[in-house]
Amino acid sequence: MTSPVWHPFTQHGLGEPIPEVVRTEGAALHTKDGGRFIDAISSWWVTTHGHCHPRIMAAIADQAGRMDQIIFAGWTHEPAETLARELVRITPDPLQHVFFSDSGSTSVEVALKMALGFWDNRGEPRHRIVVMEHGYHGDTIGGMSVGARGVFNRPYQPLLFDVATIPFPEPGQSQAVLDALEAQCREKPAALLIEPLVLGAGGMKFYSASLLAEMRKICTAHNVLFIADEVMTGWGRTGTLLACERAGVVPDILCLSKGLTGGAIPLAVTMATAPIFDAHVSDDRARMFFHSSSYTANPIACAAANANLAIWREEPVLDRIADLGDRQQDRLDRLATHALIRNPRRLGTIVAAEIGGSESAYLNSVGTRLKAFALERGVLLRPLGNTVYVMPPYCIDDTDLDTVYATITGFLEREPRMGDLFA
Ligand SMILES: *Cc1c(COP(=O)(O)O)cnc(C)c1O
């Protein structure tokens, strides 16, 4: 019988295999038919410490035995209070308020509504959002509106709202990007929304911390809110807890999700500075922040996040991340010697490179073929077009890491025709 399940980002018409996972542990997924797969992409960037981390699993079980779900409008509970206090403690001082939701997309929607609410409540309504080319902020209508336009959102484009876009800083283009931002800021937009240092879904594109710091300065000078979408870059991915740290940048609004619970259960937060919160505070009900989702601050999800934060407090997580970075670098250095590898790069635990170099139709299928090749060899990879990346859980061991890189090399060596094409 065919399954009634409609999978995300899946073309069911191609009949590609859909493995059934029955158990996860560390960096591995175990399937129903006894297969073991190395999760080289942290199950789409969520799993940080490793799958089924004992401390997080225990916190979920413990919380589930006491309180499941409560209304969060006008009510509160200890797991959310603890989590909010702890998030305020570990993030830069100006971020004083924590709004809960349940996915990266909703954390971005909340950030946009906070920014517009801020300006509206101050009596200077502003509605324009500035974003960066190739950005990704989720698949809701708002998330798509502030993200790159392409084949993945073409049918919906008439519904997406207009944004101002600054170019992605290709090498040597930093000044042009800053000039474009400066010009946009003169038009009094509500906010700049940006993925700090790494544009994830847009192709694991990196830009420098100094540029991020310059962009922040321009926003401050023009009184434009700075929203950092750290849904992917947060929780150590780039080598520090937050990518903004590397640039000494403090956003006005910060979006976190994915690794917030160590990747175990859905939860997101949008953190804001006092001025953003205060702009919504008055004795007028019409000025409250009109947003909620049913499962806002679910206690079980908050307990998982609290366990994640305890791991960060009590275990040498940053050392593990640095070590994984070094181990990735060794393997990347070897991979980079292959003739088909272009633009090899690493930031923290994230490694990426292009295969080949042009955008030909032939190459566009490289990612799909590599994904299938890896699947047959027990490795979960999901290249972005011809960009291959490795972003494993922090617990991955050398043997598994070797297998991941050997799989990529093995694929390249099977591609003699590509060698001819790009010789
Ligand atoms: C994944 C991602 C999102 C969307 O998060 P979901 O939980 O999938 O809704 C938003 N922004 C960035 C930068 C992301 O990587």
Side-chain angles (χ1 to χ4, degrees), residues 45 102-106 108 136-139 195 201 229-232 257-258:
W45 322 345
D102 23 47
S103 71
S105 312
T106 50
V108 170
Y136 176 79
H137 302 285
D139 288 325
E195 296 165 87
D229 177 354
E230 295 237 23
V231 168
M232 188 279 276
S257 186
K258 293 192 172 131

Side-chain angles (χ1 to χ4, degrees), residues 6-14 16 18 44 105 136 138-140 144 148 150-153 156 201 371 382-384:
W6 190 342
H7 288 268
F9 277 87
T10 299
Q11 179 45 273
H12 284 276
L14 295 174
E16 288 166 329
I18 300 184
W44 246 354
S105 312
Y136 176 79
D139 288 325
T140 52
M144 288 190 291
V151 62
F152 32 89
N153 51 34
Y156 329 114
K371 185 176 94 173
R382 204 180 156 100
L384 297 153

Side-chain angles (χ1 to χ4, degrees), residues 56 301 413:
I56 298 173
E413 279 162 7

Side-chain angles (χ1 to χ4, degrees), residues 27-28 36-42 237 320-332 334-335 346 348-351 378-381 389-409:
R36 178 184 186 275
F37 292 83
I38 303 166
D39 189 352
I41 62 163
S42 296
R237 280 296 167 199
R320 273 178 214 152
I321 287 170
D323 178 62
L324 173 56
D326 291 343
R327 293 187 290 131
Q328 286 254 75
Q329 187 67 49
D330 287 346
R331 287 152 178 95
L332 175 63
R334 266 174 275 146
L335 181 68
R346 179 182 72 86
T349 67
I350 309 170
V351 153
V379 177
L380 166 55
L381 286 174
Y389 69 90
V390 182
M391 196 198 290
Y394 306 153
C395 66
I396 191 169
D397 66 18
D398 281 338
T399 311
D400 280 349
L401 211 49
D402 281 338
T403 304
V404 171
Y405 282 83
T407 301
I408 299 170
T409 311

